[in-house]
Amino acid sequence: MTKLIRLASPNDYVFIDEIGLWELTFDKRPIQGVRCDDPVTGSFEYNQGRLKFRSALDGAKKPEQLLDFNAVLEWAACHGSPIQCQLVCELFNATSIHAYKEIALEFISLKQDNYPMHLDIAIFFTGFETRLTTKHDLLNVIRRRADYGKDNYDTH
């Protein structure tokens, strides 16, 4: 049975003047990402560690196809909202790992009820590396879904 875990966002950090670092407000354990120089990088590192730990605890090996960026594209093409589809396009086009991390954190903050948890693993563990080797035909579907949302928001 999968248990829920709390992931961090940059807003979960406070700056500690005495040590000159940002610190996560809800977790004080000495693990990567709890204390950091930058909340965006810290939250990304913390989330990667938590997801990796949870995956190891679950002990279930996920099928490989669920752990790459194709899984994100397939989900977005069928279930993503226009805003989520726009963010998936931005993830795909990210020019640096730092930009990718910021977009990824924004994307996971928009989770819906139908959002499968394995997408977090696909985004945070393998997404940046596997995004350019994906099924590009799905990108056109996702771009249309994102553009459809823009058209609907612009007319209202």
Side-chain angles (χ1 to χ4, degrees):
M1 182 168 138
T2 302
K3 293 183 180 180
L4 295 177
I5 59 172
R6 176 155 183 203
L7 298 178
S9 77
N11 296 336
D12 293 322
Y13 287 82
V14 294
F15 189 76
I16 309 295
D17 289 323
E18 295 82 22
I19 59 175
L21 293 172
W22 291 87
E23 185 175 66
L24 195 55
T25 58
F26 64 84
D27 192 343
K28 305 295 185 208
R29 295 174 295 160
I31 56 176
Q32 191 169 11
V34 170
R35 287 186 176 170
C36 57
D37 293 323
D38 174 45
V40 171
T41 301
S43 58
F44 185 81
E45 291 171 352
Y46 178 83
N47 292 343
Q48 280 188 314
R50 292 296 293 149
L51 291 169
K52 186 176 182 179
F53 178 75
R54 185 78 250 160
S55 178
L57 279 181
D58 289 342
K61 186 149 175 93
K62 305 280 184 195
E64 189 62 34
Q65 72 269 15
L66 294 179
L67 299 178
D68 65 13
F69 203 75
N70 274 328
V72 178
L73 294 177
E74 289 170 4
W75 176 84
C78 294
H79 305 289
S81 70
I83 294 169
Q84 288 169 321
C85 288
Q86 178 62 38
L87 289 171
V88 168
C89 291
E90 290 177 24
L91 284 170
F92 181 81
N93 294 319
T95 57
S96 69
I97 188 68
H98 184 74
Y100 182 89
K101 291 175 187 178
E102 287 182 358
I103 298 163
L105 290 170
E106 184 178 353
F107 178 80
I108 66 165
S109 72
L110 297 174
K111 290 181 184 175
Q112 300 171 327
D113 291 337
N114 67 347
Y115 181 86
M117 293 307 293
H118 72 271
L119 291 187
D120 284 348
I121 295 170
I123 290 170
F124 285 104
F125 286 132
T126 63
F128 187 73
E129 293 81 17
T130 63
R131 67 196 163 88
L132 299 178
T133 61
T134 56
K135 300 174 186 170
H136 291 250
D137 54 325
L138 287 175
L139 279 173
N140 292 330
V141 173
I142 295 166
R143 285 184 183 121
R144 282 194 301 273
R145 288 177 66 95
D147 290 341
Y148 176 76
K150 285 181 191 174
D151 292 342
N152 283 342
Y153 295 130
D154 290 343
T155 60
H156 289 96

